[in-house]
Amino acid sequence: MSTATKKATKPLYAAIGAGTTALEKARELPQRVTTLPGTLKSLNEKIDLRELPKQIQSLGTSVPDRAGKLVDRSRKLTDTTQKRLSKLTKRASKNYTDLSKRGEKLVTKVRKSAPSKRAAAQTKSARARIKAAATSVRKAAEANVEAVSSAVDKATSEQAS
């Protein structure tokens, strides 16, 4: 396969790979839904709503101090964010390549499957039969033209005599 063909088919393979991945995740969904009530219950037990007013009052006195810390933290986060963005870009590229390989593997598997090979063979056979039928029809039409032409020639020669 040429490089241009590989570049052209890579998005298709990636889409197929993403589809198979989505199907796998969808199969896991019922199990995750059944565990959700337990997860929500444990979160509810960790939060005490009666303590919220006290926590809100204590936030008011610490706002100026927290604002200064937030400015410092935002500077650090900018550097961290740029590093993470670089890592995520590499990861996205790798995931795209992995999905493309996965899709290509599935397409190859389907192409090599017995039903696909049978369908290809039947298509080839049908194509050959259609070509033969077209040839037969063409030859029959040519023979009819010759017969009609011969009959016309004979009829005109008999009338002339």
Side-chain angles (χ1 to χ4, degrees):
M1 193 180 292
S2 71
T3 305
T5 305
K6 278 190 176 187
K7 283 184 180 179
T9 57
K10 192 171 182 176
L12 176 63
Y13 290 148
I16 292 169
T20 59
T21 302
L23 281 174
E24 284 180 7
K25 296 298 179 187
R27 287 184 185 124
E28 296 171 3
L29 196 57
Q31 181 184 6
R32 294 182 75 183
V33 168
T34 57
T35 60
L36 186 61
T39 305
L40 292 175
K41 187 176 180 182
S42 68
L43 281 175
N44 207 15
E45 290 171 358
K46 291 179 183 176
I47 299 172
D48 186 5
L49 294 177
R50 292 171 288 183
E51 295 294 320
L52 281 178
K54 293 177 189 173
Q55 291 175 355
I56 290 171
Q57 283 178 340
S58 67
L59 284 176
T61 58
S62 63
V63 168
D65 184 40
R66 286 186 171 198
K69 289 179 182 178
L70 281 175
V71 170
D72 292 338
R73 188 169 179 212
S74 69
R75 288 185 186 128
K76 291 177 186 175
L77 284 176
T78 302
D79 295 334
T80 305
T81 303
Q82 287 180 349
K83 289 176 186 175
R84 283 185 181 173
L85 181 61
S86 176
K87 286 180 182 178
L88 287 174
T89 302
K90 289 177 185 174
R91 185 174 171 191
S93 177
K94 183 187 179 307
N95 285 342
Y96 178 76
T97 300
D98 291 347
L99 288 172
S100 175
K101 286 178 182 176
R102 183 179 183 150
E104 186 174 8
K105 186 177 176 181
L106 178 64
V107 168
T108 302
K109 185 178 178 181
V110 169
R111 277 188 187 146
K112 290 183 178 182
S113 72
S116 293
K117 287 183 179 180
R118 277 195 306 273
Q122 288 173 349
T123 302
K124 187 176 179 181
S125 174
R127 189 180 304 136
R129 282 189 247 137
I130 289 170
K131 186 176 178 182
T135 302
S136 296
V137 168
R138 183 179 42 80
K139 287 182 180 180
E142 288 171 357
N144 285 338
V145 168
E146 285 181 33
V148 169
S149 177
S150 174
V152 168
D153 288 345
K154 190 174 186 180
T156 51
S157 68
E158 284 180 8
Q159 278 188 359
S161 26

